[in-house]
């Protein structure tokens, strides 16, 4: 049997909102598998959250850059928020975004790292030079790009600390032959929506089949556990999936700027002002440090250990 630690229980509790003992039971039932324990709690109706978002643990900045029909977003990490507030670090992040945009290498970290950096050398060398100067590790972790043949790529930076860089960066590609100024307005609103709601995909077809299968399984087991017959279970599952897609797909989500309509409806309505059809071709949302676990230190314990070692 796997050893269930207090940290594992804490992590599961934070992910689901379930009670401590329920979390411990779930971990015991699933051999310490956190993801399986989340599903176990959901099947028992004990989880208050369907999915835990990636934990924002790393410091640094997410920077965006755009020019008409193209846009990029990059993440540059540092060890501390203190360095992220350093003007040189901020300039490095925004410069890298500009390089990614102009070079067309926004979706390839390796190629972007080898690209020419303003003032000489490569992007990788510029990062290394600042590491040597400040004495703290930095990493160009990831980058992404979007482009349309006609239309524009809108952007939005949340918790902006310097122009073009902050804690969350979003780019949204809109295909349209309409008025650029009006298109930019609806594009920015959609980008803000993406930052706020973190959709998993554009529409139901874009959601990972494995994610859909997992959701279907959870819904089916919950319905069966309530004693419903098979024909009713299937109807409950299909209804549940429709609700799931409305929650996680961009086009079906209630628009944060007007909850009375979906994003798709809001974009359709904007076509009148734009003067042409609008298609959301894609979006990228990048939140600082998501998916990276940062070592948490217990200052009191460190002090106690230090005192005990003297």
């Amino acid at each position: 049997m796997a050893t269930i630690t207090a940290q594992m229980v804490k992590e599961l509790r934070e992910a689901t909102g379930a009670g401590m003992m329920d979390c411990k039971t779930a971990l015991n039932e699933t051999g310490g598998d956190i993801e399986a324990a989340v599903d176990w709690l959901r099947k028992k109706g004990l989880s208050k959250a369907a999915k835990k978002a990636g934990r924002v643990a790393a410091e640094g900045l997410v920077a965006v850059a755009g020019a008409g029909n193209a846009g990029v977003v990059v993440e540059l990490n540092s060890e501390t928020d203190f360095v992220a507030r350093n003007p040189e670090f901020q300039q490095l992040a925004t410069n890298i975004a500009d390089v990614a945009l102009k070079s067309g290498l926004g979706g390839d970290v390796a190629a972007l790292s080898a690209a020419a950096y303003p003032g000489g050398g490569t992007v990788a060398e510029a990062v290394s030079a600042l590491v040597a100067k400040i004495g703290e590790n930095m990493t160009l972790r990831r980058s992404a790009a979007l482009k349309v043949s006609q239309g524009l790529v809108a952007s939005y930076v949340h918790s902006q600390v310097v122009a073009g860089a902050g804690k969350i960066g979003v780019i949204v590609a809109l295909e349209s032959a309409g008025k650029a100024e009006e298109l930019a307005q609806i594009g920015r609103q959609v980008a803000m929506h993406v930052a706020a709601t973190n959709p998993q995909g554009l529409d139901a077809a874009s959601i990972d089949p494995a994610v859909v299968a997992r959701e279907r399984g959870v819904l089916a087991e919950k319905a069966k556990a309530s004693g419903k017959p098979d024909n009713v279970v299937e109807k409950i599952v299909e209804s549940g999936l429709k609700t799931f897609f409305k929650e996680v797909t961009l086009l079906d989500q209630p628009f944060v700027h007007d909850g009375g309509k979906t994003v798709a409806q809001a974009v359709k309505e904007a076509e009148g002002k734009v003067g042409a059809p609008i298609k959301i071709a894609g979006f990228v949302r990048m939140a600082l440090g998501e998916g990276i676990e940062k070592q948490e230190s217990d200052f009191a314990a460190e002090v106690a250990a230090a005192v005990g070692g003297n």
Side-chain angles (χ1 to χ4, degrees):
M1 180 179 291
T3 300
I4 309 303
T5 65
Q7 178 59 34
M8 292 167 67
V9 174
K10 177 176 179 287
E11 182 179 345
L12 182 59
R13 190 179 186 191
E14 289 175 350
T16 64
M20 189 172 295
M21 293 309 297
D22 289 327
C23 288
K24 186 174 181 180
T25 300
L27 287 165
N28 280 322
E29 290 290 329
T30 57
D33 185 319
I34 296 290
E35 188 171 283
V38 171
D39 285 351
W40 188 92
L41 287 167
R42 293 184 61 209
K43 291 168 185 176
K44 298 295 183 181
L46 299 171
S47 175
K48 298 178 183 177
K51 184 180 180 182
K52 180 186 177 185
R55 289 181 62 181
V56 178
E59 302 298 344
L61 289 171
V62 174
V64 301
N69 67 335
V72 300
V73 55
V74 303
E75 179 181 4
L76 182 66
N77 293 134
S78 62
E79 291 181 43
T80 64
D81 182 57
F82 177 77
V83 168
R85 297 196 300 269
N86 182 298
E88 289 184 86
F89 180 88
Q90 295 170 354
Q91 188 66 60
L92 178 64
T94 54
N95 280 353
I96 291 175
D98 287 338
V99 171
L101 179 67
K102 293 172 183 176
S103 67
L105 300 173
D108 188 331
V109 170
L112 177 57
S113 296
Y117 187 79
T122 65
V123 168
E125 289 169 342
V127 173
S128 295
L130 193 56
V131 169
K133 182 175 182 179
I134 294 179
E136 181 171 308
N137 189 34
M138 300 170 198
T139 305
L140 176 57
R141 183 182 175 215
R142 53 184 175 155
S143 66
L146 291 175
K147 189 173 184 179
V148 291
S149 57
Q150 186 175 42
L152 61 79
V153 176
S155 65
Y156 171 69
V157 177
H158 187 66
S159 296
Q160 183 167 272
V161 297
V162 65
K167 300 298 184 182
I168 299 175
V170 177
I171 51 176
V172 178
L174 301 177
E175 291 182 352
S176 179
K179 303 171 187 175
E181 186 175 335
E182 298 292 346
L183 195 59
Q185 183 176 339
I186 184 63
R188 180 172 173 79
Q189 289 181 341
V190 173
M192 292 174 71
H193 172 99
V194 170
T197 64
N198 192 18
Q200 293 183 34
L202 184 63
D203 52 25
S206 67
I207 301 298
D208 185 344
V211 172
V212 177
R214 177 183 174 188
E215 187 67 21
R216 180 183 291 277
V218 169
L219 290 168
E221 288 206 31
K222 283 185 69 175
K224 289 176 182 177
S226 65
K228 298 290 191 299
D230 289 346
N231 63 320
V232 176
V233 167
E234 185 57 30
K235 291 180 181 179
I236 291 175
V237 169
E238 292 307 314
S239 176
L241 283 176
K242 288 180 181 179
T243 299
F244 172 70
F245 288 133
K246 286 180 181 179
E247 293 173 348
V248 303
T249 60
L250 175 59
L251 294 178
D252 286 334
Q253 287 180 332
F255 196 36
V256 294
H257 299 279
D258 183 349
K261 63 189 70 168
T262 65
V263 171
Q265 291 170 335
V267 171
K268 184 68 177 177
E269 188 177 283
E271 292 180 348
K273 292 183 179 180
V274 172
I278 305 170
K279 176 186 176 183
I280 299 180
F283 70 89
V284 176
R285 180 186 187 274
M286 200 173 283
L288 178 65
E290 57 192 348
I292 300 176
E293 292 291 340
K294 183 171 65 175
Q295 184 70 35
E296 294 184 8
S297 62
D298 185 334
F299 184 68
E302 289 178 4
V303 171
V307 171
N310 288 335

